[in-house]
Amino acid sequence: MFKRLPLLLFALALSTACSAKPAEGAAPSFTDGAEYASIATPQRLDPKGKVEVVEVFSFGCIHCAHYEPKVEELQKKLPKDVVFHRVPAAFNDAWLPFAQAYYAAAKLVPAGKLDESTDKLFKAKWDLHMPLNALEEMADWYKQNYGVDSAKFVQVAQGPEVKAQIERDTKLVQAWGVEGTPTVVVDGKYRSNNIKDFDQLNDVVMFLVNKERNGGK
């Protein structure tokens, strides 16, 4: 596993290097190597399909919790020919249960409730300060809130299918050059880089989405 670099450190590093403010009404423009970075060997999460936006995140990341309302805004802005995914990062042993829990929830939470459950778990952990670190603690939380059998939740979370998925995720996140969360990757070609705030992160994502939809221009 590799080191997690909090997003707020990026903001501090950029305090004197922000791009000039665009003219009023003009679409923002961003620079490769500054607000975003091209990925040396592009690789999508899904080999084929719509333009994809992938948030690399963790329930263990307070910055991801703070970004969550903006994630919801971003999803509403995305055109119909763009798909949104999440990839839970397992940067270290402490974060592994969060990745396991996300994939167990994806399989066991009632249809259409995964995003809702993600938002609620963030709030429970970071706003209500509930003890949600161990897999068993999260299993009990999903049982209380979504009726998921806690023993089944743990079994699925620790099963071979989820293990294989996390191993694939880890290789992909490394290939993308992601070192902190939240990071957003567009079409496997670009990742968010030096970002001053979450509004700018969403603007960068939309800029890159439009770039991809226009054939890379």
Side-chain angles (χ1 to χ4, degrees):
M1 300 301 176
F2 45 89
K3 186 177 181 181
R4 174 174 61 92
L5 299 179
L7 183 67
L8 293 183
L9 294 182
F10 296 151
L12 292 174
L14 282 181
S15 59
T16 60
C18 296
S19 58
K21 184 179 180 180
E24 186 175 353
S29 181
F30 302 104
T31 304
D32 193 355
E35 297 86 3
Y36 73 94
S38 292
I39 294 170
T41 304
Q43 185 176 351
R44 286 168 49 96
L45 180 65
D46 291 333
K48 298 180 181 180
K50 299 178 179 180
V51 172
E52 63 179 20
V53 172
V54 180
E55 181 201 9
V56 182
F57 83 106
S58 174
F59 289 125
C61 169
I62 192 170
H63 306 307
C64 297
H66 291 162
Y67 181 49
E68 183 63 19
K70 294 295 180 180
V71 171
E72 296 174 7
E73 292 180 13
L74 176 63
Q75 288 179 270
K76 293 175 182 178
K77 291 179 182 178
L78 294 176
K80 291 183 179 180
D81 59 346
V82 178
V83 64
F84 177 84
H85 298 291
R86 298 184 200 251
V87 168
F91 287 133
N92 50 54
D93 291 343
W95 277 20
L96 177 59
F98 298 121
Q100 292 173 317
Y102 179 76
Y103 280 125
K107 293 178 179 296
L108 299 175
V109 166
K113 295 291 186 178
L114 180 60
D115 283 345
E116 176 191 286
S117 71
T118 297
D119 179 63
K120 282 188 173 183
L121 195 147
F122 269 129
K123 290 176 179 176
K125 177 172 174 57
W126 294 106
D127 295 346
L128 302 179
H129 306 291
M130 294 179 65
L132 294 170
N133 297 299
L135 185 57
E136 291 77 11
E137 292 170 339
M138 288 181 280
D140 288 342
W141 183 88
Y142 279 103
K143 179 180 181 179
Q144 293 170 10
N145 289 272
Y146 291 94
V148 177
D149 180 84
S150 54
K152 178 68 173 178
F153 188 94
V154 172
Q155 179 185 13
V156 170
Q158 294 180 332
E161 188 174 346
V162 168
K163 179 181 178 181
Q165 181 65 60
I166 292 173
E167 289 175 351
R168 289 193 296 270
D169 288 347
T170 299
K171 291 178 182 178
L172 186 57
V173 167
Q174 289 175 331
W176 284 340
V178 174
E179 295 182 334
T181 54
T183 293
V184 181
V185 177
V186 176
D187 231 25
K189 295 181 180 180
Y190 313 101
R191 71 174 182 276
S192 57
N193 191 38
N194 293 330
I195 301 296
K196 65 181 183 180
D197 57 39
F198 295 137
D199 286 322
Q200 187 186 61
L201 177 52
N202 280 4
D203 287 343
V204 169
V205 173
M206 293 305 301
F207 170 82
L208 294 171
V209 164
N210 291 330
K211 182 180 177 71
E212 275 300 281
R213 295 175 75 228
N214 291 328
K217 299 179 181 179

